[in-house]
Amino acid sequence: MIEFPKNSRRKFLRNIGFISIGFPLLSYNFGDEDSLLDQNGSFESNLNRNLRFANPVNAWLNVLEDGRVLVYSGKVELGQGIRTAVRQVAAEELELELEQVEVHLAETGVTPDEGYTAGSSSIPNSAMSVRYAAATARQKLLELASTKLNTPEEDLILINGQVKSKNSNLSLNFSEILDGTQLEMEVSKLVPLKAKSDYRYVGKSIPRMDIEKMVHGEEVYIQDLRFPGMLHARVLRPAGYQSKLINLDESGLSSEVSGIVKTVVNGRFVGVITEREYQAVKAESYLNRHSKWTPNPAFPEQKALFSHIKSIAEKPKNIKNQGDVSIEYAENQTFKATFTKPYLKHGAIGPACGIAMYDRKVLHIWSHSQGIYPMRRAIAAMLKMDEDKLHVIAVPGAGCFGHSTADDAAADAAILAMAHPGKHIRVQWSRHDENTWDPYGTAMIMELEASMNANGKIYSWKADVWSDSHSIRPDKDPATLLDTRYFEQAIPLTGRGYLGGAHRNADPYYSIPNMQVNAHYFDGPLRVSSLRSLASYTTIFSIESFMDELAEKAGKDPLAFRLAHLEDERAIAVINKIKLMCERENLKDGEGMGYSFSRYKNTSAYSACAAKVWVDKSAGTIKLKKMWAAVDVGEIINLDGIINQIEGGMLQAASWTLKEQVTFAGNEITSTDWNRYPVFRFSDIPELEVAMIDRPTEPAEGGGEVSMPPTGAAIANAVYNACGKRVYNLPITAEKILG
Amino acid sequence: MPKYTLHINGTQKVIDTEADTPLLYALRDYLQLNGPKFGCGLSQCGACMVLKDGKAVTSCLLPIASIGNSEIITLEGLVESNGKMHALQEAFIKEQAAQCGYCLNGMLMAATGLLNENPRPTDTEIKEALELNLCRCSAHTRIIKAIKSAAKNQTGP
Ligand code: FES
Ligand code: FES
């Protein structure tokens, strides 16, 4: 039996006295990130709520022997720079140099259970919790120092980890202040925070420290971990989702491929362990050639996907009803449009990897999962083991933007490690499997209908959304892990996952007196889960394309038309900003500008986006020339960090918009590699310009997803303005321009 | 199993492996180098790039038996013997030209290959030279900026 929590923590502390601050985390124990995150208000109200319900305190901030501070965060590094943001807020409140703050990210038994790192929640939840804990520590440290130095608190100043007397040269560092005392306390009230005007780090551009390691080829990623005696493995996936294994002939395997350690077969799970990595690649290929599977039932025809979706959808659920959409006025004009979006891939540049080792007591797992605690619950259920016999350590992988294949690779490694105890087993997924077994972002349809009065004001709005689940992330249900469904005693996936993401941002943020939103859920032909920004990319693509169409019908300028339907000052500010940014753009023949706006989740960050494209009318080719974004995420923690994420989001969403779709034909998924699932390459890259509106007194929102939703419509609107062709079905390709 | 002597980052390494083992696996699995990354194994993404006689090439489909006497430089070999970083490494840090950074090996290798041949590339030349290299986090504009600033620092204003 392992006791990670106390032992691991105290190993750092060596009984020199410490202050250990526990604080309530907003997202510490939920089964479904997104539905809860949708309800998030500001930290303050949540802190109150948490305290009111006396939620367990489960996160820590410790003072180390040398006076530095160690912060535990249950979030994982995805390339979004969370380590730096946590370091900034802790150093700020405690008046430390950035180097004086260590951050320990997700590890079961060591860091708190913060659920998934998803939904742009790391800043509002984890970083804000750390801020309050650090402020509590600061208050306590000053109080203790005052007694020790026999100096009133007002005569003390805190500077670079030292408490100094203003009137003498007495000073103490944090561990001297504690001097053997062991304090365990909680954030029990709203402690005073440092004045924002005194900030040294927060709101500034603080370079991430991990980029230096990356450019040196140091050990950064799970793929880089090596353990003495580590073995390699690959898993042979079935021929299709529903294929059954008819026959597997391994008789010639060892003579054809050297270094075979073991094959592990359990129902339709086929794994092979080898000494060297390339041997595993060859072994998988051998097993592939020497196995027979029943064919997967045929997929619907790609061309007919959306009519298929409509045919299998459940009865609609009414999500929102405001005013009365059924009232019709003779003088109002009604408009309709239907938009579609195909299945999209996560498309991490590094396919999934998992490492596991069973030491005959504890199963250790290294994973780039976005939620190590929920994944531990799922793997424990899959292996029928006690959860506390599993120890999971988060290690970064390649950026994967949602629930991708990381958890499945960890499950593969766990199964093989249990079958071959005492050795570290490293499972690396192939590009083919990464592309064909990914839980995609679901295909969607959005139908819109609006009636507008003679003054160009929208009077009523009706939206119908067709969508599969937007999150079937691993948690207690072991069938959320792929392998479980293919065991001899298979457990089928029965849960529908998180459906709430399906109508995220489906109700426009505009003031419209009568509004109705209906959701039509379906259980589609492809495996799905959460992809960056969930449904918002589709709903905002549809709404903002439609807003341009309505503006045109009303004879209004598209931005003025939006402004006429907005009341929120912050929304108006980002639109005015984007207008200013693009004012001087001159358009050449064949060029067009397009705009769009959204407030993420209708409760979080604001962004207005613009795109300039050139369309070759005879060939249909689209050249994206420049994109702009004006963004308000409330209080900014790391200025360059947030700009980096916004830029990346704009380009990734532009790639979705102009290039991407998962393809299938017959009984196969055919977008198996980068040639068949093309994404943006350097020749596609436009210029980018991002402006941030800092609102230091507003709650800090995450920025990882905010730029995705408006990008699609900005491009679609620009294409329309460039060539007169409105494209309703993503991706926007030459074929559709000409068609 | 055959033995292969490779010239890697200025030293000679002997590797005992099958003739069809791609260079990428030799570097990562036998020589424990982290620079070159596995991304596709299909020569479609550039994650596995190394310099082969000064030119950036993908290593995931390159059998070890075909390397012969070529000089291979990996990301680890970009740093000078006195520990000084290559101008490109410095520029990528300065421009914070990464999110997850998984693609950076390929970006740095392709950019080094480019600057070896063309010390002052234009934006278009940079884009052409890096066309094979994918970045899902989409740090492209920062990567272009970093390469331009490295080119400037390398050759003087
Ligand atoms: S791994 Fe070699 S090009 Fe992708
Ligand atoms: S930084 Fe993540 S793939 Fe390029």
Side-chain angles (χ1 to χ4, degrees), chain A residues 78-80 206-212 214-221 223-226 232 234 257-259 275-279 281-282 345-351 397-399 401 426 428-432 531-532 623 640-641 643-649 651-652 655-656 660 672-677 679-688, chain B residues 1 16-22 24-47 60-61 75-79 83-86 88-90 92-105 107-108 123 126-145 147:
Chain A
L78 307 170
Q80 85 284 39
I206 301 295
R208 282 164 51 187
M209 295 181 194
D210 47 357
I211 296 181
E212 188 157 346
M214 294 169 187
V215 304
H216 280 94
E218 283 177 31
E219 179 187 290
V220 173
Y221 308 95
Q223 287 88 347
D224 301 334
L225 295 184
R226 294 180 184 86
H232 294 269
R234 290 250 173 157
V257 182
S258 43
E275 286 163 7
R276 291 291 183 178
E277 186 174 3
Y278 196 63
Q279 294 166 344
V281 176
K282 289 198 281 185
K345 260 195 65 51
H346 292 88
I349 296 303
F401 311 103
R426 177 186 186 272
Q428 170 67 63
W429 276 40
S430 64
R431 172 53 53 197
H432 178 277
L531 173 65
R532 196 177 190 181
K623 177 85 194 143
D640 186 61
I643 292 176
N644 195 355
Q645 287 197 64
I646 287 164
E647 291 172 348
L651 287 180
Q652 191 178 94
S655 175
W656 291 355
E660 299 184 27
T672 53
D673 61 33
W674 293 122
N675 291 341
R676 293 171 209 184
Y677 188 91
V679 297
F680 261 22
R681 290 188 179 270
F682 269 92
S683 55
D684 301 304
I685 301 304
E687 262 185 84
L688 294 180
Chain B
M1 239 180 271
D16 231 340
T17 187
E18 295 95 333
D20 59 354
T21 303
L24 173 66
Y25 293 85
L27 297 172
R28 290 194 63 89
D29 192 13
Y30 290 76
L31 301 182
Q32 319 233 312
L33 293 171
N34 292 322
K37 297 276 187 289
F38 171 71
C40 65
L42 304 163
S43 204
Q44 294 176 349
C45 75
C60 59
L61 289 177
L75 185 59
E76 288 85 348
L78 274 195
V79 179
K84 194 178 166 336
M85 271 189 267
H86 190 282
L88 280 161
Q89 291 171 307
E90 278 176 0
F92 271 64
I93 298 171
K94 196 174 130 263
E95 298 296 339
Q96 295 280 293
Q99 278 187 40
C100 78
Y102 197 87
C103 65
L104 281 201
N105 170 72
M107 299 297 174
L108 283 158
D123 278 24
I126 293 174
K127 286 181 172 183
E128 275 166 16
L130 271 67
E131 187 64 2
L132 185 74
N133 295 83
L134 293 177
C135 174
R136 188 53 161 171
C137 305
S138 308
H140 302 83
T141 52
R142 287 167 180 247
I143 292 168
I144 296 169
K145 231 167 141 191
I147 296 171

Side-chain angles (χ1 to χ4, degrees), chain A residues 18 109 231 359 496 537 616:
Chain A
F18 60 90
L231 298 172
D359 65 13
R496 291 295 306 279
Y537 168 71
D616 177 339

Side-chain angles (χ1 to χ4, degrees), chain A residues 155-330:
Chain A
D155 291 338
L156 292 175
I157 47 165
L158 191 53
I159 181 167
N160 295 343
Q162 302 271 331
V163 175
K164 294 191 173 163
S165 158
K166 287 181 192 161
N167 311 320
S168 69
N169 38 23
L170 293 174
S171 81
L172 295 169
N173 77 16
F174 291 175
S175 83
E176 288 163 345
I177 294 173
L178 291 167
D179 188 25
T181 49
Q182 319 242 328
L183 292 171
E184 301 229 17
M185 46 187 300
E186 290 176 17
V187 176
S188 56
K189 58 181 178 186
L190 289 178
V191 288
L193 297 175
K194 179 172 172 178
K196 299 204 187 241
S197 50
D198 296 340
Y199 277 175
R200 290 196 281 171
Y201 310 119
V202 171
K204 311 271 176 345
S205 289
I206 301 295
R208 282 164 51 187
M209 295 181 194
D210 47 357
I211 296 181
E212 188 157 346
K213 290 194 181 141
M214 294 169 187
V215 304
H216 280 94
E218 283 177 31
E219 179 187 290
V220 173
Y221 308 95
I222 182 163
Q223 287 88 347
D224 301 334
L225 295 184
R226 294 180 184 86
F227 298 91
M230 183 171 84
L231 298 172
H232 294 269
R234 290 250 173 157
V235 172
L236 174 68
R237 299 272 156 219
Y241 290 147
Q242 294 179 51
S243 299
K244 300 230 159 36
L245 184 57
I246 303 169
N247 165 45
L248 177 74
D249 176 13
E250 342 166 16
S251 55
L253 177 62
S254 300
S255 50
E256 186 168 312
V257 182
S258 43
I260 302 293
V261 176
K262 182 180 269 182
T263 49
V264 178
V265 182
N266 177 349
R268 292 180 275 166
F269 174 91
V270 180
V272 55
I273 305 174
T274 60
E275 286 163 7
R276 291 291 183 178
E277 186 174 3
Y278 196 63
Q279 294 166 344
V281 176
K282 289 198 281 185
E284 189 209 336
S285 149
Y286 178 95
L287 293 171
N288 192 19
R289 284 178 276 117
H290 293 85
S291 59
K292 276 211 184 66
W293 301 82
T294 61
N296 196 47
F299 289 115
E301 250 201 283
Q302 181 117 28
K303 282 203 305 272
L305 175 65
F306 298 104
S307 52
H308 173 77
I309 281 174
K310 284 198 165 177
S311 75
I312 58 171
E314 295 165 11
K315 276 218 311 282
K317 280 209 167 64
N318 181 247
I319 302 297
K320 180 163 187 162
N321 234 339
Q322 165 186 308
D324 187 350
V325 288
S326 66
I327 304 173
E328 282 174 23
Y329 288 95

Side-chain angles (χ1 to χ4, degrees), chain A residues 43 47-48 51 132 135-136 139 143 186-192:
Chain A
F43 177 84
L47 181 63
N48 286 332
L51 291 173
Y132 281 85
T136 306
Q139 206 177 37
E143 192 186 305
E186 290 176 17
V187 176
S188 56
K189 58 181 178 186
L190 289 178
V191 288

